[in-house]
Amino acid sequence: MCDEVAKLLQDRMVPLNTFREMKKLRPMRQIEVAETMIAMNRFSWPYAKSLVAATPQHLLTSEKRKTVRGLSDEQIEHMEREATNIDREFRMIEQSYGTDHLDLVLATGYLARMTENVRVVHHLARFHPELLAEFQRIVQLREAA
């Protein structure tokens, strides 16, 4: 197990079988799998086993051909391609999350200030009551969090 993975998972409850499964992966793939497990908050051995099964052959430590009971070579290759696509999409979402989160915090802050202004509230209540109700709901959710 590479040091970075150990640091990533040190505060998590991870079964020993999960670590044994991850040792089948090359270090960079171990890091990707650990990050995926953290993001999904799933550290079980079956989940690790599925991530290893979806790993392309060249990212495994052993040279022997990967076999998954009940799946043909074509099914394994299809699963590897799909896992690569999902991983790519997940990374893109993860990269935009910070910006999206900041935008959301700023927008909810603006709505909170806006709903504190009596004149704005009266105008919205008179001409756009459905918007006022939605804005107030968003502010309440923000305050509850």
Side-chain angles (χ1 to χ4, degrees), residues 69-116:
R69 191 176 63 208
L71 296 178
S72 68
D73 288 344
E74 294 81 24
Q75 290 171 319
I76 291 172
E77 289 173 18
H78 179 71
M79 193 167 85
E80 288 173 355
R81 282 192 307 276
E82 287 301 313
T84 301
N85 291 338
I86 289 170
D87 192 49
R88 186 180 326 107
E89 290 174 16
F90 181 78
R91 301 278 175 227
M92 288 172 42
I93 291 168
E94 191 176 46
Q95 288 172 353
S96 71
Y97 173 79
T99 304
D100 293 345
H101 184 71
L102 177 61
D103 290 345
L104 184 60
V105 167
L106 293 173
T108 56
Y110 177 75
L111 287 176
R113 285 193 316 276
M114 194 170 74
T115 56
E116 291 170 359

Side-chain angles (χ1 to χ4, degrees), residues 29-130:
R29 180 64 179 155
Q30 285 181 10
I31 294 167
E32 290 174 356
V33 165
E35 289 172 344
T36 300
M37 294 172 96
I38 291 168
M40 301 304 290
N41 197 30
R42 294 189 65 192
F43 306 97
S44 68
W45 174 64
Y47 187 61
K49 196 170 181 177
S50 71
L51 292 172
V52 170
T55 299
Q57 186 70 34
H58 70 278
L59 295 176
L60 297 175
T61 56
S62 69
E63 294 300 318
K64 72 177 189 175
R65 181 75 186 138
K66 172 175 53 175
T67 59
V68 178
R69 191 176 63 208
L71 296 178
S72 68
D73 288 344
E74 294 81 24
Q75 290 171 319
I76 291 172
E77 289 173 18
H78 179 71
M79 193 167 85
E80 288 173 355
R81 282 192 307 276
E82 287 301 313
T84 301
N85 291 338
I86 289 170
D87 192 49
R88 186 180 326 107
E89 290 174 16
F90 181 78
R91 301 278 175 227
M92 288 172 42
I93 291 168
E94 191 176 46
Q95 288 172 353
S96 71
Y97 173 79
T99 304
D100 293 345
H101 184 71
L102 177 61
D103 290 345
L104 184 60
V105 167
L106 293 173
T108 56
Y110 177 75
L111 287 176
R113 285 193 316 276
M114 194 170 74
T115 56
E116 291 170 359
N117 185 317
V118 176
R119 292 177 66 197
V120 171
V121 171
H122 284 303
H123 176 80
L124 289 173
R126 185 171 178 197
F127 297 106
H128 306 284
E130 68 285 347

Side-chain angles (χ1 to χ4, degrees), residues 9-38:
L9 299 176
Q10 70 184 358
D11 297 330
R12 317 277 187 201
M13 295 295 292
V14 182
L16 288 176
N17 285 344
T18 297
F19 286 114
R20 283 191 207 111
E21 198 66 35
M22 290 176 69
K23 285 182 180 180
K24 297 176 181 177
L25 306 170
R26 295 186 185 266
M28 285 306 295
R29 180 64 179 155
Q30 285 181 10
I31 294 167
E32 290 174 356
V33 165
E35 289 172 344
T36 300
M37 294 172 96
I38 291 168

